[in-house]
Each structure stands twice: as structure tokens, then as C-alpha cells.
């Protein structure tokens, strides 16, 4: 009986988390473009910015779908049920398991978010909370199984690898556009003529390019993180290189998610978004370096 209830609660939590994460992402992707802040447009005064209603973040754009928080709460309920039953089935004490501890931490984060989201206007934070809950749920799936290395189909592994490769490719484009933005911004501040170093796209064009590449690559990176969580044993018994690869993978996802989140919720654009994008790309590069240094570590994470 516990095995059946554990399986049902796992599937329900998986579906609810997935639906909630998709809705939160769609809300961020649909958020309307806003004017850059004063720090991003040289020559504009602070007074003009404060009096321009278009420069202020749209409250409606930052609000998620009304169904997303409900689905997130249902996913957390299924997650908590699964962790409870799975700990008995696998005979694993939650205190002695990294993944169970992460699951409990994500459940607490979801509870705080659902209580405080309207009062503190942090609805868009669901873009982070939903996928993290989903990833930590999957991280507990293979605990207590007889084989430490899960047997995965070639199709599953191919989907994981392709999602990561395509996501990183799009982030490379976003990083290149962000670097060009910073170069163009510096040239405009120094009032250099474009003809001296060749023409570059306008700042607004480069900013939109960064955002669109991130929007396209974020779901792929999320898929790579979620599928990579199936190599759950790496956090429990992995080598330092494997653990570092997992840490940098999550750091990449977190930084990109924060850039998208702050753009939707706080109107972040321009230099701040460019620096955040480049930082995320640096973490992704660290993952690739670890792969090259220790290729035998596997493809998970």
C-alpha cells in the first residue's frame, strides 16, 4: 500500500509542478517590454524617468496566472506526501539524505512563497520556486533503489544532452549580445563616433536580443537540469568534480532565472541584465570545463 500511494503522489506532484512551472514561465515570457532605467540610457535625467509612466514596471505583467500558485500548492502537497511514503518504502531517514533535505527545504520555500506572495508582491518568484520543487522531487526518485546507477534509455540521455547543448548555445548568443551591449554603452558614454570602431546595433536592439535568447534557452536549460537530476547518486556519493558540475549547473540556471525574474518583476534592463547574463554564461563555461577535464564523470547534472 505505501508503494502505491508513493507512486500516485509522485506522479501527481510531477504533473502539478510541471504545469505550474510552465504557467510561471509563460507569464514572464509575455511580460511587456519596458523602457530602460536611467542608468541604462545615458543623457536621460532622473526627473524625466520618474515622470514617465512607461518606465515603471507594469504590475499586471509581473503577476502570474491565477492558476499557477494553486497548481504549485497542489504539487507541494503531492511532494510532501511522496517524501513521507518514500522514506518508509526506501527506509531512508530524511535527515541522512541530501535529496530529502533539499525536498524539505523546497517545501518550506513554497509554503513561505504562497503565504507572502501577495503581501510582498513576489508573485513572479514562482519562476524559480516551481522548477526547483520539480528538480528536488525528481532527485529523491532513485533513492533506495537496488541499483545506484539508474538504467536510462538512449532516447532519455539524448534528450538530456541535446537540451543542455541547445540551451548553452542560446546562452552563448545571449552572452555575445550582452557583451556587445556593454561595449556599445561604454562607447556612447565616451561619445565616440560609431564610424571609428565599426557600427554596432542600438542598445535597445541588443537588449531585446539578450532577452529573447534567454527566453528561448531557459526552458531547454530547465529541461536539462530536471532530467539531469535523475543522476541523483552524484550528490550522495559522487566525486568532487561531479558535485561541482551539479553545483555550477544549478548556479547557471539560477542566475538566468534571476535575470528573467528581475526583468519581469522589477523592470531590469540594460547593463544589469547584461552583467547577469555574462555571469550565468561563466557558470555554464565552468560546467563545460569540468566535462573536458574529467570526461568520464558522465553526462548527468
Amino acid at each position: 500500500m505505501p508503494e502505491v500511494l508513493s507512486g500516485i503522489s509522485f506522479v501527481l506532484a510531477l504533473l502539478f509542478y510541471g504545469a505550474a512551472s510552465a504557467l510561471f514561465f509563460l507569464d514572464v515570457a509575455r511580460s511587456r517590454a519596458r523602457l530602460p532605467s536611467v542608468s541604462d540610457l545615458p543623457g536621460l535625467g532622473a526627473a524625466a524617468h520618474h515622470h514617465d509612466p512607461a518606465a515603471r514596471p507594469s504590475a499586471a505583467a509581473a503577476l502570474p496566472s491565477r492558476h499557477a500558485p494553486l497548481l504549485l500548492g497542489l504539487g507541494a502537497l503531492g511532494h510532501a506526501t511522496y517524501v513521507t511514503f518514500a522514506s518508509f518504502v526506501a527506509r531512508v531517514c530524511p535527515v541522512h539524505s541530501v535529496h530529502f533535505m533539499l525536498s524539505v527545504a523546497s517545501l518550506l520555500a513554497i509554503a513561505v512563497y504562497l503565504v507572502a506572495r501577495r503581501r510582498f508582491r513576489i508573485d513572479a518568484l514562482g519562476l524559480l520556486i516551481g522548477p526547483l520543487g520539480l528538480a528536488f522531487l525528481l532527485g529523491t526518485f532513485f533513492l533506495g533503489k537496488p541499483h545506484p546507477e539508474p538504467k536510462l534509455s538512449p532516447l532519455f540521455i539524448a534528450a538530456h544532452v541535446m537540451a543542455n547543448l541547445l540551451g548553452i548555445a542560446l546562452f552563448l548568443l545571449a552572452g555575445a549580445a550582452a557583451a556587445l551591449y556593454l561595449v556599445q554603452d561604454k562607447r556612447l558614454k565616451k561619445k565616440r563616433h560609431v564610424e571609428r570602431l565599426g557600427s554596432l546595433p542600438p542598445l535597445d536592439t541588443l537588449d531585446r536580443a539578450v532577452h529573447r535568447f534567454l527566453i528561448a534557452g531557459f526552458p531547454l536549460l530547465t529541461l536539462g537540469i530536471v532530467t539531469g537530476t535523475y543522476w541523483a547518486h552524484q550528490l550522495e556519493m559522487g566525486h568532487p568534480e561531479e558535485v561541482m558540475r551539479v553545483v555550477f549547473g544549478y548556479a547557471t540556471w539560477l542566475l538566468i532565472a534571476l535575470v528573467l525574474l528581475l526583468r519581469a518583476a522589477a523592470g531590469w534592463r540594460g547593463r544589469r541584465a547584461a552583467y547577469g547574463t555574462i555571469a550565468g554564461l561563466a557558470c555554464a563555461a565552468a560546467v563545460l570545463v569540468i566535462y573536458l577535464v574529467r570526461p568520464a564523470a558522465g553526462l548527468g547534472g
Side-chain angles (χ1 to χ4, degrees):
M1 187 63 177
E3 292 87 348
V4 176
L5 294 176
S6 174
I8 293 175
S9 59
F10 175 81
V11 172
L12 291 176
L14 192 68
L15 293 175
F16 286 135
Y17 273 151
S21 300
L23 288 178
F24 280 120
F25 173 75
L26 289 175
D27 285 316
V28 171
R30 288 196 304 258
S31 61
R32 294 181 302 176
R34 305 176 188 91
L35 292 179
S37 62
V38 178
S39 60
D40 297 324
L41 286 181
L44 288 183
H49 172 72
H50 288 303
H51 289 291
D52 187 359
R56 300 173 184 173
S58 171
L63 292 177
S65 167
R66 61 180 181 178
H67 300 297
L70 175 61
L71 292 172
L72 182 63
L74 292 174
L77 181 61
H79 190 167
T81 304
Y82 169 72
V83 168
T84 302
F85 283 108
S87 61
F88 289 108
V89 173
R91 296 181 180 180
V92 175
C93 178
V95 178
H96 295 157
S97 168
V98 172
H99 292 285
F100 275 135
M101 292 178 66
L102 290 175
S103 287
V104 173
S106 67
L107 290 173
L108 292 175
I110 291 172
V112 173
Y113 165 77
L114 292 176
V115 171
R117 67 183 185 85
R118 290 196 173 182
R119 180 174 181 180
F120 297 101
R121 297 181 180 180
I122 55 173
D123 298 85
L125 195 60
L127 177 70
L128 298 179
I129 301 298
L132 283 179
L134 178 61
F136 293 151
L137 169 70
L138 290 173
T140 64
F141 184 70
F142 285 105
L143 293 180
K145 299 296 187 295
H147 301 287
E149 179 70 33
K151 295 181 179 180
L152 303 175
S153 68
L155 182 61
F156 181 90
I157 296 176
H160 170 73
V161 173
M162 288 303 298
N164 279 329
L165 291 178
L166 290 175
I168 291 176
L170 289 168
F171 290 154
L172 285 173
L173 294 174
L180 287 179
Y181 182 97
L182 295 176
V183 171
Q184 180 76 320
D185 179 67
K186 185 176 181 179
R187 292 168 63 187
L188 290 175
K189 282 186 174 181
K190 293 184 177 180
K191 297 181 179 179
R192 292 179 178 174
H193 294 291
V194 176
E195 293 79 4
R196 292 182 181 178
L197 296 177
S199 61
L200 289 177
L203 290 180
D204 190 57
T205 300
L206 291 171
D207 181 67
R208 286 198 305 269
V210 172
H211 183 63
R212 289 172 180 173
F213 285 132
L214 293 183
I215 285 291
F218 184 74
L220 293 171
L221 183 61
T222 302
L223 178 61
I225 290 292
V226 169
T227 54
T229 308
Y230 272 93
W231 280 268
H233 69 287
Q234 289 182 354
L235 280 181
E236 300 287 347
M237 60 186 74
H239 295 284
E241 295 89 346
E242 296 174 335
V243 175
M244 289 302 296
R245 190 177 67 248
V246 173
V247 169
F248 278 116
Y250 274 104
T252 302
W253 180 87
L254 182 62
L255 285 170
I256 300 303
L258 283 174
V259 171
L260 295 175
L261 173 65
L262 292 172
R263 183 183 182 104
W268 269 36
R269 289 185 60 164
R271 291 197 305 275
R272 291 173 293 187
Y275 283 126
T277 301
I278 293 174
L281 183 60
C283 290
V287 176
L288 294 178
V289 169
I290 295 174
Y291 272 125
L292 295 174
V293 171
R294 193 171 186 271
L299 297 173

